[in-house]
């Protein structure tokens, strides 16, 4: 076999375990071989070969094939077999294996090397013609689908038809083989090569090609994996789990990937090949059955699982095959797991002395914590159970039943909640799985494609519902007497494996002790404070439960919502002068005061940043179109009425609505985002600022009198010019002094501004002369910097991302090159003027892990985000403190 200095090809027994070069699978096989595990011999074609393949217009790079042929010669010697010839034919598996595990997203070929002569040799040496011809048939089916792009359903339909008639003898397999070959020839216009080396060359190119398949590209996009990594190709001597009753294949996790329990978990299929387990074509048995059927093999597997976990210091996902009573290890890799399992495993590995607390923090990615907050199904006795299966990925979700991945994607894009229901999923269904709220399959086990992908995405999933029958043509799901049509709603309970008819009640999950322990380590590690965006006392209380250390954005306009409050707000807007406006505001002031008292009580001891009224006034009035329609309808009623009192009442309503309509039209703006809003409202209508400031400080003083520790921070929004800030700041300070004098006591407070316009960031050194804190409103700062409307750009931004024009949605992950530079500039310039300037962020980017790493780097004091993103932000801040950026 070639030496380790080869350019492209690296044998298992002569290479260094390098995941970047050999991919995760190849690196694992190299390290297992070196550690003495029973690994069938093979070699790895590096990820560099894949990158060169694409650089060379999808041609194998010079030298790669020559090195591969040399490696095949060495492999034949190591295995004592000959590729594609007797007396003992060498057969190969050709598998993908990227640096980051992408289960089921790329292609695999098995039994490569079979042809008309080698199948006879395999039949003779195995003494099992049925096995030999079944292996050949499987190879032809996979080769036709993967290399020649023959539609998988066309080939599988032929297989299903033959299975219904019964595949018992070698002659049955030969007849099916001939049919598959005719289908392939009809589609591809060429037969499968007899020469095994030509088979291998085409297979290597096909596996490289699968790196850019739609399903692989979608998976990388959703999981933030770079397309520049490429995949390695692992070529390995085949061992056969389908060679008789003393053979089989399986997948084992060293710990339960759903719960995190420290016990081996997995599945086994007797007399089967590995693809039968992971493809979900057959529903496998538990490992308990392996222990009963082959106790010696089970003990060996348990021992090897323990050694592998100790070696890699993490839960492992192991593929194994038993061939005629001998155990072979085919793969080990870090196992995919649910968020709940990830937390428990990370904490228990620390308690076992395997990893450090800092390492445990890095074992749980920030965005996966969202899964721990997924709702739990709370079914009543009257809820109808359609079917039960294997709980593959936790959480409860309801949605419309769809049977097609494309349709799931289309309906989800239109705002519908959907549940994708399939007999089994394939990698081609990935885009529909990503769009669905939950996934259900009739076949497959908890290590099937559907289960692994769903767990990786945090989707609720139930597999192996063998009692359901799916009719794709009629778009029906049948389970006993229950018939569910496309568009009907079902609820999927991924915790119990139960499928319910209709939308079933869900409740919030309970976070366990492992979560509390991990988050305590997170809070010890991070240096960024994490606050929540909260507008009501209930929101504030929820934020504290999630671990928030204050409120970074209290949007006071949300306190004006509700029938009584909105009506008072509208009277204020309709008021002809400041006197009448103050009368209307007087009705709102005690309501706001009471809300602030509730918030201060919930946040006892934590700071509360309160933004003064920000949106344009017309947003509080009825919609223009709705008002016009109401007037038209009233005029129609007026024509139909003969009652004088009724006529007078209708006329009064019409007059009032016409006044509102005139006010709406006067207040309407061509571009309200950049119009009369924020501090500009307070400058034109100072009585609004006065009322809000009085409510804030009255509530603060009353709370302090009760022993509550209050730290109000009053934020003036949408400042572009220093004089705007000073004008509003003067009002706030005067009101504060007045309230303090009235109550005979004062409270400490800060007065600052929201940096949400480029000019504010550019002139931050001036604004910081007066402002005591900055809070970057990165939502509006992104809009005003990029010229993008957050409400409208959703129509085309997804296409921008897919076409590579931008890497990510700038309203989810901060645009570091543009908006990020304004944030950095604002921080630097502001602190150059005021060294103790407190600086935070209150846009949605405050809950985005990648953005938080940037905020740590520029020296912010805190981030603020929506309540249920607080745990994510806390963990992301710990990652940032450790110098790790989420990929």
């Amino acid at each position: 076999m070639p030496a380790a200095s080869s350019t492209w090809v690296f044998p298992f027994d002569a290479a260094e375990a390098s995941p970047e070069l050999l991919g995760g699978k190849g690196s694992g096989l190299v390290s297992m071989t070196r550690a003495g595990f029973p690994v069938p011999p093979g070699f790895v074609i590096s990820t560099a070969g894949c990158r060169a393949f694409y650089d060379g217009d999808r041609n194998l790079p010079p030298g790669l094939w020559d090195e591969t042929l040399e490696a095949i010669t060495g492999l034949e010697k190591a295995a004592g077999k000959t590729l594609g010839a007797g007396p003992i034919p060498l057969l190969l598996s050709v598998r993908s294996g990227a640096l980051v595990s992408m289960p089921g997203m790329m292609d695999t070929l098995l039994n490569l090397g079979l042809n008309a002569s080698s199948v006879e040799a395999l039949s003779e040496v195995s003494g099992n013609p049925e096995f030999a011809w079944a292996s050949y048939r499987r190879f032809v089916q996979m080769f036709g689908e993967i290399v020649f792009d023959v539609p998988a359903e066309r080939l599988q339909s032929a297989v299903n038809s033959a299975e219904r008639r019964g595949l018992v003898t070698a002659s049955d397999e030969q007849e099916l083989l001939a049919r598959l070959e005719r289908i392939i020839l009809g589609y591809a216009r060429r037969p499968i090569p007899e020469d095994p080396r030509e088979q291998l060359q085409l297979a290597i190119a096909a596996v490289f090609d699968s790196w850019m398949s739609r399903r692989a590209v979608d998976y990388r996009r959703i999981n933030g994996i770079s397309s520049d990594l490429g995949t390695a190709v692992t070529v390995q001597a085949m061992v056969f789990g389908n060679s008789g009753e003393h053979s089989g294949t399986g997948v084992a996790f060293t710990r339960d990937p759903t719960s995190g329990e420290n016990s081996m978990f997995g599945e086994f299929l007797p007399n089967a090949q590995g693809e039968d387990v992971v493809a979900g074509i057959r529903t496998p048995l538990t490992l308990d059955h392996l222990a009963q059927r082959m106790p010696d093999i089970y003990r060996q597997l348990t021992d090897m699982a323990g050694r592998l976990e100790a070696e890699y210091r993490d839960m492992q996902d192991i593929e194994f095959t038993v061939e005629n009573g001998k155990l072979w290890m085919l793969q080990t890799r870090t196992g995919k797991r649910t968020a709940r399992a990830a937390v428990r495993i990370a904490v228990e590995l620390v308690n076992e002395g395997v990893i450090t607390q800092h390492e445990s923090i890095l074992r749980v990615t920030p965005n996966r914590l969202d899964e721990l907050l997924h709702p739990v199904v709370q079914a009543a006795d009257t809820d109808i159970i359609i079917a039960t299966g294997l709980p593959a990925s936790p959480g409860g979700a309801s949605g419309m039943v769809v049977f097609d991945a494309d349709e799931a994607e289309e309906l989800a894009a239109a705002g519908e909640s959907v549940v994708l229901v399939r007999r089994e999923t394939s990698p081609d269904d990935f885009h529909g799985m990503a769009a669905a709220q939950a996934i259900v399959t009739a076949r497959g086990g908890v290590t099937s494609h559907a289960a692994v992908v769903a767990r990786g995405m945090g989707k609720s999933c139930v597999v192996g519902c063998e009692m359901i029958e799916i009719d794709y043509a009629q778009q029906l799901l049948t389970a006993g007497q229950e018939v569910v049509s496309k568009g009907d709603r079902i609820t999927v309970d991924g915790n119990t494996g139960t499928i319910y008819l209709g939308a079933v009640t869900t409740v919030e999950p309970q976070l366990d002790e492992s979560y509390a322990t991990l988050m305590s380590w997170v809070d010890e590690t991070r240096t960024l404070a994490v606050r929540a965006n909260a507008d009501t006392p209930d929101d504030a209380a929820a934020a504290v439960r999630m671990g928030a250390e204050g409120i970074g954005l209290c949007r006071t306009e949300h306190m004006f919502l509700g029938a009584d409050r909105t009506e008072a707000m509208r009277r204020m807007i309709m008021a002809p002068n400041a006197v009448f406006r103050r009368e209307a505001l007087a009705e709102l002031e005690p309501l706001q005061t009471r809300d602030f008292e509730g918030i201060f009580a919930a946040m006892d001891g934590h700071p509360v940043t309160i933004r003064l009224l920000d949106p344009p006034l017309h947003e509080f009035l009825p919609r223009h179109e709705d008002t016009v329609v109401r007037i038209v309808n009233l005029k129609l009623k007026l024509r139909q009425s003969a009652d004088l009192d009724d006529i007078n009442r209708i006329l009064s309503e019409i007059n009032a609505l016409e006044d509102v309509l005139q006010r709406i039209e006067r207040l309407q703006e061509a571009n309200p985002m950049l119009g009369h809003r924020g501090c500009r409202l307070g400058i034109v209508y100072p009585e609004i600022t006065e009322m809000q400031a009085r409510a804030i400080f009255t509530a603060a003083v009353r709370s302090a009198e009760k022993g509550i520790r209050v730290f109000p921070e009053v934020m003036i929004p949408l400042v572009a010019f220093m004089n705007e800030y000073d004008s509003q700041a003067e009002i706030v300070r005067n009101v504060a002094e007045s309230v303090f004098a009235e109550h005979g006591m004062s409270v400490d407070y800060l007065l600052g501004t929201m940096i949400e316009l480029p000019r504010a960031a550019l002139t931050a050194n001036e604004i910081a002369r007066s402002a005591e804190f900055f809070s970057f409103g990165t939502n509006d700062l992104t809009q005003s910097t990029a010229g993008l409307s957050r409400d409208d750009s959703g129509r085309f931004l997804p296409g921008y991302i897919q076409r590579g024009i931008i890497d990510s949605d700038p309203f989810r992950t901060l645009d570091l090159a543009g908006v990020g530079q304004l944030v950095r500039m604002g921080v630097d310039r502001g602190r150059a003027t005021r060294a103790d300037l407190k600086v935070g962020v209150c846009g949605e980017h405050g809950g985005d892990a990648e953005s938080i790493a940037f905020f740590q780097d520029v020296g912010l004091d805190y981030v603020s985000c929506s309540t249920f993103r607080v745990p994510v932000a806390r963990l992301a801040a710990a990652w940032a403190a450790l110098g790790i950026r989420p990929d």
Side-chain angles (χ1 to χ4, degrees), residues 79 207 312 353 612 716:
V207 173
Y312 289 98
L612 300 179
I716 298 169

Side-chain angles (χ1 to χ4, degrees), residues 375-396:
V376 175
V377 173
Q378 190 174 59
D381 293 339
T382 53
D383 287 318
I384 299 172
I385 296 175
I386 300 172
T388 58
L390 303 174
S393 186

Side-chain angles (χ1 to χ4, degrees), residues 185-450:
L185 185 60
Y187 274 95
R189 303 299 181 192
R190 60 184 293 195
I192 294 175
E194 285 285 299
D195 181 356
R197 283 165 175 76
E198 186 180 352
Q199 293 174 1
L200 178 60
Q201 188 173 36
L202 291 170
I204 291 169
V207 173
F208 279 157
D209 258 329
S210 69
W211 175 251
M212 295 304 294
S213 66
R214 174 180 175 175
R215 59 183 182 262
V217 170
D218 285 348
Y219 186 91
R220 290 196 296 273
R221 174 176 52 81
I222 289 172
N223 290 279
I225 301 170
S226 171
S227 290
D228 296 334
L229 296 175
T231 182
V233 177
T234 299
V235 180
Q236 190 172 20
M238 284 289 302
V239 290
F240 294 94
N242 59 336
S243 54
E245 63 179 17
H246 299 294
S247 302
T249 188
V251 174
F253 293 84
T254 55
R255 301 183 189 227
D256 189 320
T258 299
S259 69
E261 181 182 352
N262 188 6
S263 61
M264 197 162 67
F265 173 94
E267 295 174 325
F268 174 75
L269 267 177
N271 196 24
Q273 285 195 318
E275 287 300 299
D276 295 336
V277 178
V278 297
I281 296 170
R282 291 168 56 186
T283 301
L285 307 173
T286 67
L287 288 179
D288 290 340
H289 289 83
L290 175 63
Q292 294 168 9
R293 295 170 66 106
M294 305 177 188
D296 288 341
I297 295 294
Y298 181 79
R299 281 192 290 272
Q300 292 177 47
L301 179 65
T302 303
D303 175 65
M304 291 182 189
R307 288 168 56 195
L308 286 168
E309 183 171 287
E311 173 73 18
Y312 289 98
R313 302 168 63 245
D314 201 355
M315 184 261 277
Q316 294 296 292
D317 171 0
I318 303 163
E319 290 183 19
F320 66 92
T321 286
V322 182
E323 182 184 50
N324 297 321
K326 178 174 175 57
L327 176 65
W328 293 96
M329 306 299 282
L330 303 184
Q331 172 178 286
T332 190
R333 60 186 175 189
T334 300
K336 297 286 185 184
R337 65 206 75 180
T338 65
R340 187 175 301 279
V343 171
R344 178 173 175 177
I345 291 169
V347 170
E348 290 188 356
L349 287 175
V350 173
N351 295 338
E352 293 164 19
V354 177
I355 61 176
T356 65
Q357 289 184 9
H358 283 175
E359 287 176 301
S360 75
I361 290 169
L362 300 178
R363 293 288 174 88
V364 183
T365 57
N367 288 333
R368 292 296 304 280
L369 277 189
D370 267 349
E371 292 177 36
L372 295 182
L373 307 174
H374 282 296
V376 175
V377 173
Q378 190 174 59
D381 293 339
T382 53
D383 287 318
I384 299 172
I385 296 175
I386 300 172
T388 58
L390 303 174
S393 186
S398 300
M400 295 169 48
V401 170
V402 294
F403 299 96
D404 178 76
D406 289 338
E407 191 167 11
E409 186 177 51
E410 290 170 9
L411 287 170
E416 292 285 354
S417 295
V418 298
V419 175
L420 180 63
V421 180
R422 302 284 292 168
R423 290 195 189 103
E424 67 272 337
T425 62
S426 74
D428 289 328
D429 294 318
F430 177 74
H431 59 293
M433 299 169 73
Q437 296 296 310
I439 300 147
V440 176
T441 65
R443 303 173 185 167
V446 294
T447 55
S448 66
H449 173 266

Side-chain angles (χ1 to χ4, degrees), residues 532-535 539 551 553-560 592 609-612 692 779 842 844 866:
N533 300 341
D535 313 313
D539 290 345
I551 291 177
L553 176 61
C554 175
R555 293 156 288 208
T556 55
E557 60 272 10
H558 288 188
M559 297 176 178
F560 298 141
Q592 282 219 312
T609 303
I610 301 166
R611 184 179 71 187
L612 300 179
Q692 291 201 293
N779 298 341
C842 61
E844 282 304 307
S866 57

